Amino acid sequence: MADSAPLWTAAALPVLLVPAALAVACADARSAAPAREVLRLLVQQPRRTVAADTLATRTGTVLLPVAAVLAAAVVPLGSTPVSDLGDGVVWFNAMEALAWAAVWLAGWGPGSTLSAVGGYRFLAQGLAYEIPHMLALTTAALGAGSLRVTEIADAQRGLWFAVWMPAAFALYLLSAAAMAFWGPFGQPAGRDLARGVASELTGADRLLLLGGRRLLLLTSAAMAVPLFLGGGHGPLLPGWAWTLVKTGAVLALLLWLRRRLPGVRMDRYTELAWVVLTPLAVLQALVVAVVVLP
């Protein structure tokens, strides 16, 4: 069991994650436009709809990045996370569930039809991706015989889980993009809804929602490293460097795939998730169980 990082790292975590998420946004846009957009939103005058529920809107927009940062607390940099919880996998998944509530509140709060439809789209998308996602997390934990994230990473000293659990790894990456409603899974903030959940948000509220999406994507990519890619283990480089290299590789793969995958209609993704992805995730978990339980 690894020791947790010093207490001050809990305060430093969002300071490190925010510029990293902005760098991911700039890499995705292939320009500095996201950085300029941040500055514009910071000085933009807030605008409210007539029937807005300001408390619900503000709670949702603040909760999304907070949930992403709290999820990152159990992701080890090298071999040391901010908090080495014994049930770190459960904690990570619970913070993702908070993101569900956050996005729905951000969509419902403005009292706008398009915004509310975007929020409900995210709930529908969540019902589609969450079961395969949970099974992918469970499969990694099953392979290591532990819910502690550092012990899952240590269990891959000989062989990465991504090698003998390829279906779980692929499903995890797919659900990570869906959780951040990003790329082909961007329907909750789709153009057909005038940006959906973000359509009525301005200024800091919009910045928090869009920033929260990037933080979720970044945190999910980082979590793939201890779950499936051996964590910080590797030759020559220190553990923290391997974690950064592997996280960068996962993000690069997601960015590359985004430009090559078409947008997925909600009903088709839901059908795909329940008919194909969930049975595939169950089959992968059963194979791992047969291997490790004897």
Side-chain angles (χ1 to χ4, degrees):
M1 182 179 71
D3 294 330
S4 295
L7 188 59
W8 62 266
T9 57
L13 186 60
V15 178
L16 296 174
L17 287 177
V18 168
L22 181 59
V24 172
C26 290
D28 187 23
R30 297 178 177 178
S31 73
R36 292 193 295 270
E37 180 68 4
V38 168
L39 297 176
R40 186 185 73 80
L41 292 175
L42 283 174
V43 300
Q44 186 181 41
Q45 290 295 319
R47 172 174 54 83
R48 303 286 180 208
T49 53
V50 175
D53 184 335
T54 305
L55 178 60
T57 304
R58 188 60 52 82
T59 301
T61 55
V62 171
L63 186 58
L64 187 59
V66 168
V69 171
L70 290 176
V74 296
V75 180
L77 179 61
S79 60
T80 308
V82 170
S83 179
D84 192 25
L85 296 176
D87 51 359
V89 172
V90 178
W91 170 268
F92 181 79
N93 198 221
M95 293 305 105
E96 293 174 333
L98 276 184
W100 281 36
V103 176
W104 182 82
L105 283 171
W108 176 265
S112 162
T113 300
L114 294 179
S115 180
V117 171
Y120 280 109
R121 274 189 180 181
F122 185 74
L123 290 185
Q125 184 162 284
L127 290 172
Y129 79 73
E130 185 60 27
I131 298 299
H133 182 71
M134 289 175 61
L135 286 168
L137 293 174
T138 303
T139 302
L142 181 62
S146 174
L147 291 171
R148 191 184 298 276
V149 179
T150 53
E151 291 182 357
I152 295 174
D154 288 341
Q156 302 170 65
R157 288 179 180 274
L159 183 65
W160 291 0
F161 284 174
V163 175
W164 69 288
M165 305 177 189
F169 180 51
L171 290 171
Y172 177 85
L173 294 182
L174 196 68
S175 57
M179 181 171 55
F181 48 110
W182 175 86
F185 307 103
Q187 302 297 326
R191 292 182 178 178
D192 60 325
L193 292 179
R195 299 301 180 187
V197 292
S199 61
E200 302 294 348
L201 299 178
T202 56
D205 289 331
R206 187 180 180 89
L207 178 60
L208 286 168
L209 181 80
L210 299 181
R213 291 177 66 189
R214 299 296 182 180
L215 284 171
L216 273 178
L217 187 67
L218 176 62
T219 300
S220 301
M223 188 64 168
V225 174
L227 288 180
F228 296 102
L229 300 176
H233 300 295
L236 302 177
L237 298 177
W240 63 267
W242 273 114
T243 299
L244 295 180
V245 168
K246 292 175 183 177
T247 300
V250 173
L251 284 169
L253 175 63
L254 291 172
L255 294 179
W256 182 79
L257 288 175
R258 180 201 175 177
R259 300 185 184 283
R260 285 154 181 83
L261 295 177
V264 182
R265 236 174 55 190
M266 192 63 58
D267 57 328
R268 289 183 176 176
Y269 179 57
T270 303
E271 181 180 3
L272 175 70
W274 284 102
V275 176
V276 178
L277 302 185
T278 298
L280 180 62
V282 171
L283 180 62
Q284 175 73 94
L286 289 175
V287 169
V288 173
V290 168
V291 172
V292 302
L293 286 184

